[in-house]
Amino acid sequence: MMEHAPILAIAIPLLAAFATPLIGKIDKKLRNIWAIAGLGVGLGLIILTFSEVINSGIITYTLGASNPGQTIPSGWNVPIRIVLEIDGMGAFAALGMGITTFIASIYSWSFFDDEESGLDRFYTLLLLLGAGGTGLAFTGDLFNLFVWLEVSSIAATGLVAFWSYRGTPNEAGFKFILISAIGSIMVLMAVGIFYGQ
């Protein structure tokens, strides 16, 4: 289990996010418990990964390899797989993201009225933000850094724009997506320059 904790810390909140609207149709309290449980399990896996990094050093996890530590396939000279590389800073950043989203999910249950509309979307976005932030902290290559940055920024924009005041467009959401898009373009250009070199 510990060997696969880094990818499970990303995958469980991500899969929970996609199931949240379906569970919300069954029962609203079950949906809240589902979101808290998804982020709680993700946080537990992040804590396991954090303690492993502190005790053993950098963890490398490769998706699609028979051995998760194998980054380069036999006969190839370059790594072509999705690689998670968790060092102390990445584990600490993921721990901060996991704690923040877990506490936000607990607080939101008492903050929102159960009959309020759109809470399925709120919890889906919160789970996506947790998964995206963890993926951003754990990634081992620039392309996937960009992918997780996009997942995180889109989820964060949705959360910022979750409420609109009396049906008027949400100015904060628009400004946030504009800033996120400019930041993403800069990151994409930097990744292109690095790969060009």
Side-chain angles (χ1 to χ4, degrees), residues 125-141:
L125 290 169
L126 190 61
L127 284 158
L128 282 174
L129 182 64
T134 304
L136 191 61
F138 283 1
T139 191
D141 61 277

Side-chain angles (χ1 to χ4, degrees), residues 31-41 102 105-106 109 123 127:
R31 173 204 59 210
N32 298 352
I33 293 168
W34 176 262
I36 291 170
L39 290 168
V41 170
F102 180 66
S105 67
I106 293 171
W109 192 350
Y123 284 112
L127 284 158

Side-chain angles (χ1 to χ4, degrees), residues 12-97:
I12 288 174
L14 190 64
L15 294 173
F18 290 112
T20 298
L22 299 173
I23 294 184
K25 299 237 185 264
I26 297 169
D27 185 41
K28 304 212 181 294
K29 288 188 180 182
L30 182 63
R31 173 204 59 210
N32 298 352
I33 293 168
W34 176 262
I36 291 170
L39 290 168
V41 170
L43 176 59
L45 291 165
I46 290 169
I47 291 170
L48 281 174
T49 304
F50 182 79
S51 66
E52 184 68 23
V53 167
I54 296 301
N55 294 331
S56 304
I58 297 173
I59 297 173
T60 302
Y61 186 91
T62 307
L63 279 76
S66 56
N67 174 11
Q70 177 188 8
T71 58
I72 301 175
S74 324
W76 293 75
N77 294 333
V78 294
I80 59 167
R81 296 184 169 121
I82 297 173
V83 177
L84 303 178
E85 191 164 339
I86 304 103
D87 58 359
M89 189 64 191
F92 183 72
L95 185 63
M97 176 59 77

